[in-house]
């Protein structure tokens, strides 16, 4: 652990909500995170979960000119420059609004409206009790499809995340998937983000590459299991939006 990381336990936790996606699969001018689930924009559900998990500040990363109305009330909004792509770029943009004395940063997906506050706190707890530099949420999904696969050690620590495009047949046989919020030691995150390189295929900078960087440098990456699979629904298209709406009705 680097000097300065030792204060991470007591210095609070901030949240960064990645909400700049255009949602082209919706064939709509409405920003993706502003599509409604259970009568409210997706973003409002995520912001509510982050606030209930005591993330302070809660930073929402949006596109320039994007109107999120009251869905981001109580947050700090930051505009993502149009020349950058990917989840790592979004978090790097949001990190500019996080004070340097904050010890932990949680990255949240703006299109995952079913995430629970308890899950956010759970991934923070997993980070802190293991002295890891990062902690991911994972779920055991019977038919994982395009989800990135998570390799887990018997200790529960994470050995790696593999995107399906890079997966071996053994990896594809795994049912443990990367499924939700990620927590980081803020000081380590600030040092590591500039090292995330664009994907040679998509040109995007992926947050999951931080797991590889941590493991390669001998740092620990913890895991926190999500058992409610509804929380893993990311609303990338109308079908998954409908699935999220049905899940909310089941909760009610």
């Amino acid at each position: 652990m680097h000097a300065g990381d030792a204060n991470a336990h007591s210095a609070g936790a901030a949240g960064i909500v990645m909400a700049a996606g255009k949602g082209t699969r919706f064939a709509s001018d409405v920003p993706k995170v502003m599509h409604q689930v259970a009568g409210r924009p997706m973003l409002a559900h995520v912001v509510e979960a982050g606030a209930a998990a005591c993330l302070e500040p809660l930073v929402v990363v949006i596109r320039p000119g994007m109107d999120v109305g009251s869905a981001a009330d109580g947050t700090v909004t930051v505009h993502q420059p149009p020349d950058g792509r990917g989840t790592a770029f979004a978090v790097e943009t949001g990190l500019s609004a996080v004070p340097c004395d904050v010890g932990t940063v949680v990255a949240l997906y703006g299109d995952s409206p079913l995430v629970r506050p308890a899950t956010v706190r759970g991934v923070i707890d997993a980070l802190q009790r293991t002295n890891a530099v990062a902690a991911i949420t994972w779920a055991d999904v019977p038919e994982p499809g395009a989800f990135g696969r998570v390799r887990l050690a018997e200790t529960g620590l994470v050995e790696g995340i593999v995107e399906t495009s890079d997966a071996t047949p053994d990896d594809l046989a795994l049912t443990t998937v990367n499924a939700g919020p990620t927590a980081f030691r803020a000081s380590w995150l600030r040092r590591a983000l500039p090292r995330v390189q664009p994907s040679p295929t998509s040109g995007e900078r992926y947050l999951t590459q931080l797991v590889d960087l941590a493991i390669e440098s001998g740092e620990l990456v913890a895991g926190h299991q999500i058992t409610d699979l509804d929380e893993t629904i990311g609303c990338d298209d109308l079908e998954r939006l409908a699935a999220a709406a049905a899940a909310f009705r089941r909760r009610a």
Side-chain angles (χ1 to χ4, degrees):
M1 185 185 297
H2 291 266
D5 286 346
N7 294 325
H9 289 276
S10 58
I16 297 174
V17 181
M18 298 171 283
K22 294 181 179 179
T24 52
R25 296 178 189 169
F26 288 94
S28 168
D29 292 333
V30 176
K32 177 167 69 167
V33 298
M34 295 303 290
H35 283 268
Q36 294 205 349
V37 174
R40 300 172 68 203
M42 283 191 276
L43 177 59
H45 292 290
V46 179
V47 165
E48 182 178 66
C54 302
L55 300 182
E56 176 64 36
L58 188 55
V59 180
V60 177
V61 181
I62 61 176
R63 297 191 313 279
M66 184 173 161
D67 183 9
V68 295
S70 62
D73 280 357
T75 73
V76 178
T77 54
V78 176
H79 291 109
Q80 179 173 309
D83 58 346
R85 299 173 59 207
T87 49
F89 184 77
V91 168
E92 196 168 40
T93 301
L95 200 56
S96 65
V98 176
C100 290
D101 62 348
V102 170
T104 301
V105 173
V106 182
L108 299 162
Y109 292 91
D111 64 353
S112 296
L114 285 129
V115 65
R116 298 179 186 271
T119 295
V120 179
R121 295 309 311 179
V123 74
I124 294 171
D125 292 344
L127 176 81
Q128 295 183 345
R129 71 171 175 265
T130 56
N131 285 324
V133 296
I136 68 165
T137 47
W138 62 272
D140 195 347
V141 178
E143 297 181 10
F147 274 112
R149 306 302 201 270
V150 175
R151 299 187 189 124
L152 293 169
E154 290 184 4
T155 59
L157 292 172
V158 175
E159 294 182 331
I161 299 177
V162 184
E163 300 299 333
T164 52
S165 57
D166 301 320
T168 66
D170 285 344
D171 290 326
L172 291 175
L174 296 172
T175 56
T176 46
V177 303
N178 182 30
T182 307
F184 300 96
R185 301 280 178 186
S187 53
W188 180 85
L189 180 64
R190 291 182 191 276
R191 293 192 300 270
L193 272 171
R195 297 167 54 202
V196 176
Q197 298 300 309
S199 162
T201 52
S202 70
E204 296 191 27
R205 294 172 61 215
Y206 293 117
L207 204 59
T208 50
Q209 193 185 340
L210 288 170
V211 172
D212 295 331
L213 292 174
I215 292 169
E216 287 167 7
S217 59
E219 304 281 10
L220 299 180
V221 177
H224 173 71
Q225 185 179 6
I226 293 176
T227 55
D228 176 5
L229 297 187
D230 287 343
E231 288 190 71
T232 70
I233 299 173
C235 300
D236 287 334
D237 55 32
L238 291 172
E239 182 180 357
R240 292 175 71 78
L241 190 71
F248 261 103
R249 288 194 293 272
R250 288 194 296 272
R251 279 189 184 181

